[in-house]
DNA sequence: TACCATCCTGAAAACGTTTTCATCGGGCGA
DNA sequence: TCGCCCGATGAAAACGTTTTCAGGATGGTA
């Protein structure tokens, strides 16, 4: 057990406990020879400062709480890595919890972080507009920054891309390469206000081109996309030639589903995702998608939050730039063969 | 700010601070009517216990430290979710840090967790056999459990699958469906003792079938697999008909690389991964792979560690079962066409 | 020599809990 | 009635720091 405390070091260095503390943390206040003696004693004893004691006394933990929906989606994992990097650079620590998209857990896990007395929070909630957690945090004046979320209320500071415009750009791209019948595939809207904004962007782009936006195709998240849902896009008088998916995981799943139905991507159907996870670029065909800078989002959130903790005035939400990754799953629309045959999956010959 | 402490509650409930503490934590010791009064006062004041104070006094934080190489690989993300779930069930908290595969950081990030006085650690290190961090932890008698790693020293308790046997099974499967020339593709051996064990499993399987194991094809991790590395497997008098990859991310990347070279997977080349990430099953063709129960690994590690913290004797390492997911990227070997043409990528027609 | 400023150090309080120990009142057995 | 035990409560110590305050030594100046 490590029962060695400041006091033990003090005894060994033959100085008072206060001097040890100063020698280790503010060496300028202590005579050089003493500093050396203390450092030596500390090293000899293998002294490891107890942050619990420090935090109690300092009434500050230099720790940030992070609440994310999941880590399985690498978007959030990347963001967390950014958060971790930035906090470490600033000599802060992090406590992470995930809700696994259980909206009803958001409050409880956050409570727990507050019991630990984190100095501030970085979170992604289901909906920034209507959120019991955020109401609570506001009410307690606990500093926080949202990531990925965008909020109508300006005092809820966020770091994100402009989801609506980004989606509009993506769909606009599809339109610019000749697609006319485009549908959007999303997970459960209730889990993600981002998906809603992206849907608005889809509508914007369609309308701007004089096209009629279709209702979204909602599929259960994180499972193989039911071929039924896909078939739905292919049927009717005006079958889709392109699908815009509200995130990359979904898009990847959609591409596979189409291939499995015997369709060719992108020749029979173009697909565009949203997120820009690294994996998408590794696939063949490489996923066309909207890239958001997840790591930067994390780092920015930390910087913003720490600035606030230092007493800076809250400042405005931060919108980071997105970009389109052209990829190979989206291609110029070509009139499809008069009789669209559903071929068997692309086995050889 | 939440400056409301036990003392404030005590004043409002007109009892002593000690009674408040007892009423909230061990209500059996306090008269019912008092408990009610205290609870009411606490609720009125919005009292939130300060874990820093508690942890200092209790000399225990009910917090586990977790050190993982990365979260970008969903294997570890899944494991963490398991860890989180299990800890929450037991009313513990978690502090997570990642090393991003920088072996030289393992020690420093662990030190930081120890400063926070975590009660125990769950970690995946580059090599369990030779690890400064583990040496340090052993020396300080700090309880820990390894995940994914397997250690030759039995006192280093681990939770993992049997990597060697699992790899042998996977390669054995390839052999059983007719493959004779099989190579293994891995990332940097220095980053992962698992990869080394899996390579041994590969050799075991090859030798057991009277085949000659080939040296591993080492490729830089987490980047598009250089087509050069793949070409290497295709050249020579005895080109490979199947590739065994040391993890799924790599395998996915390899499959894409092959497709990009104009080969057909699995007809021209079978590919098998290791990990069993969910995503692999969603792809088309679905990735053939060895499935390890990542979530269970996380949960088991927590259970094991907590048992140890409760004073149970260390116990043996835990080996969880693996399984083969047949997938679509591995298929029975068929004599290849006499002249192997490298076709252009599978565009239509 | 007397005085003051400066530099260094130590004693002690404080952070918010839990827990030990002591106290008090009342019920119960003898 | 006395003595005891038990249940309920409070006072105070302890956990390991940081920081305030005060004091002692030293050196420079008048």
């Amino acid at each position: 057990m490590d029962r060695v405390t400041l006091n033990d070091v003090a005894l060994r260095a033959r100085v008072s406990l206060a001097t040890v503390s100063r020698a280790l943390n503010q060496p300028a206040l202590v005579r050089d020879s003493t500093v050396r003696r203390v450092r030596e004693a500390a090293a000899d004893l293998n002294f490891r400062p107890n942050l619990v004691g420090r935090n109690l006394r300092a009434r500050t933990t230099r720790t940030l709480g992070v609440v994310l929906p999941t880590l399985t989606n690498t978007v959030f994992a990347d963001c967390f890595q950014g958060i971790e990097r930035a906090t470490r650079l600033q000599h802060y620590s992090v406590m992470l919890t995930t809700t696994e998209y259980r909206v009803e857990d958001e409050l409880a896990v956050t409570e727990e972080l507050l019991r630990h007395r984190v100095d501030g929070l970085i979170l992604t909630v289901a909906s920034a507009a209507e959120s019991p957690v955020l109401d609570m945090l506001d009410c307690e004046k606990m500093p926080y920054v949202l990531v990925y979320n965008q909020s109508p209320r300006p005092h809820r500071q966020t770091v994100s891309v402009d989801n609506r415009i980004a989606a509009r750009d993506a769909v606009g791209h599809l339109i610019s390469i000749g697609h006319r019948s485009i549908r959007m595939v999303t997970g459960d809207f209730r889990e993600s206000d981002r998906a809603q904004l992206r849907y608005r962007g889809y509508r914007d782009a369609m309308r701007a081109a004089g096209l009629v936006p279709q209702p979204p195709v909602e599929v259960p998240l994180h499972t193989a996309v039911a071929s039924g849902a896909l078939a739905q896009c292919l049927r009717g008088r005006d079958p889709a030639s392109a699908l815009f998916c509200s995130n990359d995981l979904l898009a990847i799943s959609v591409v596979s589903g189409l291939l499995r139905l015997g369709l060719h991507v992108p020749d029979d159907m173009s697909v565009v995702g949203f997120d820009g996870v690294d994996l998408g670029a590794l696939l063949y065909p490489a996923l066309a998608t909207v890239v958001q800078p997840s790591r930067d989002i994390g780092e920015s959130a930390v910087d913003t939050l720490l600035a606030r903790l230092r007493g800076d005035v809250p400042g405005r939400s931060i919108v980071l730039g997105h970009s389109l990754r052209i990829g190979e799953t989206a291609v110029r629309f070509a009139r499809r063969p008069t009789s669209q045959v559903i071929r068997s999956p692309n086995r050889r010959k």
Side-chain angles (χ1 to χ4, degrees), chain A:
Chain A
M1 289 298 162
D2 57 7
R3 12 197 79 272
V4 32
T5 77
L6 267 195
N7 201 25
D8 300 328
V9 180
L11 291 177
R12 175 170 250 261
R14 317 196 134 273
V15 292
S16 81
L17 169 164
T19 301
V20 175
S21 173
R22 280 188 286 248
L24 297 180
N25 302 316
Q26 314 166 52
L29 298 183
V30 177
R31 196 193 301 161
D32 280 4
S33 64
T34 314
V35 171
R36 272 195 298 277
R37 238 184 31 255
V38 168
R39 289 214 176 117
E40 204 170 316
D44 290 352
L45 294 176
N46 241 311
F47 172 68
R48 178 156 35 222
N50 182 332
L51 292 189
V52 181
R54 167 181 311 192
N55 293 344
L56 179 58
R57 161 68 212 213
R59 315 192 55 162
T60 222
T61 55
R62 294 187 73 84
T63 299
L64 303 183
V66 178
V67 179
L68 295 174
T70 183
L71 290 176
T72 302
N73 186 332
T74 46
V75 165
F76 295 113
D78 287 340
C79 175
F80 177 76
Q81 308 259 43
I83 290 174
E84 203 190 349
R85 188 185 123 80
T87 46
R88 202 174 296 166
L89 280 179
Q90 310 247 18
H91 303 287
Y92 268 68
S93 301
V94 193
M95 290 196 77
L96 167 71
T97 59
T98 63
T99 62
E100 310 206 41
Y101 284 108
R102 289 184 301 265
V103 184
E104 66 279 11
D105 283 7
E106 288 178 356
L107 194 63
V109 303
T110 307
E111 267 295 339
E112 186 64 13
L113 292 174
L114 293 182
R115 284 158 139 73
H116 278 287
R117 290 306 190 264
V118 294
D119 290 345
L121 288 158
I122 295 175
L123 48 186
T124 297
V125 296
S127 160
E130 195 168 341
S131 162
V133 199
L134 300 186
D135 293 343
M136 184 268 280
L137 294 176
D138 284 339
C139 161
E140 314 222 353
K141 305 207 191 323
M142 167 60 60
Y144 66 88
V145 172
L146 298 172
V147 281
Y148 296 104
N149 291 114
Q150 292 182 269
S151 170
R153 315 192 203 176
H155 77 275
R156 296 197 163 161
Q157 211 173 351
T158 64
V159 178
S160 69
V161 297
D162 189 318
N163 284 285
R164 186 164 178 174
I165 292 187
R168 200 195 60 192
D169 289 354
V171 176
H173 171 70
L174 286 171
I175 294 173
S176 77
I177 58 176
H179 292 277
R180 288 295 171 269
S181 179
I182 306 170
R183 298 205 58 171
M184 176 156 173
V185 185
T186 90
D188 189 336
F189 269 170
R190 280 164 308 184
E191 284 180 352
S192 164
D193 52 6
R194 286 82 69 204
Q196 295 181 44
L197 288 170
R198 292 168 196 167
Y199 180 62
R200 292 209 199 129
Y202 158 80
R203 282 196 315 209
D204 293 346
M206 293 296 276
R207 291 196 180 125
L211 301 170
V212 184
Q214 301 293 314
V217 184
E218 283 195 60
V219 302
L221 209 60
H222 295 203
T223 84
V225 170
S227 52
L230 290 181
Q232 171 188 347
C233 307
L234 303 168
R235 275 196 307 261
R237 306 187 296 101
D238 185 25
S241 70
L243 299 176
F244 172 53
C245 305
S246 67
N247 69 64
D248 278 358
L249 248 42
L250 193 54
I252 290 170
S253 179
V254 162
V255 168
S256 305
L258 291 167
L259 295 176
R260 209 170 285 283
L261 285 175
L263 296 180
H264 188 282
V265 175
D267 292 346
D268 293 326
M269 180 78 83
S270 286
V271 177
V272 173
F274 198 114
D275 281 346
V277 300
D278 289 343
L279 183 77
L282 290 184
L283 295 179
Y284 182 80
L287 185 64
T289 191
V290 177
V291 181
Q292 36 180 353
S294 286
R295 248 191 120 91
D296 293 347
I297 289 179
E299 296 185 5
S300 258
V302 171
D303 293 343
T304 308
L305 184 53
L306 289 187
R308 192 125 130 221
L309 292 180
R310 270 185 240 103
D312 296 12
V313 294
R316 302 172 55 83
S317 285
I318 295 181
V319 177
L320 297 179
H322 60 272
S323 62
L324 289 185
R325 182 197 291 153
I326 299 301
E328 298 160 333
T329 56
V331 78
R332 178 167 293 282
F333 176 70
R335 176 167 296 285
R336 69 186 68 227
T338 45
S339 83
Q340 174 168 351
V341 274
I342 303 270
R343 285 154 303 177
S344 67
N346 59 340
R347 302 226 133 255
R348 184 194 271 208
K349 275 286 142 51

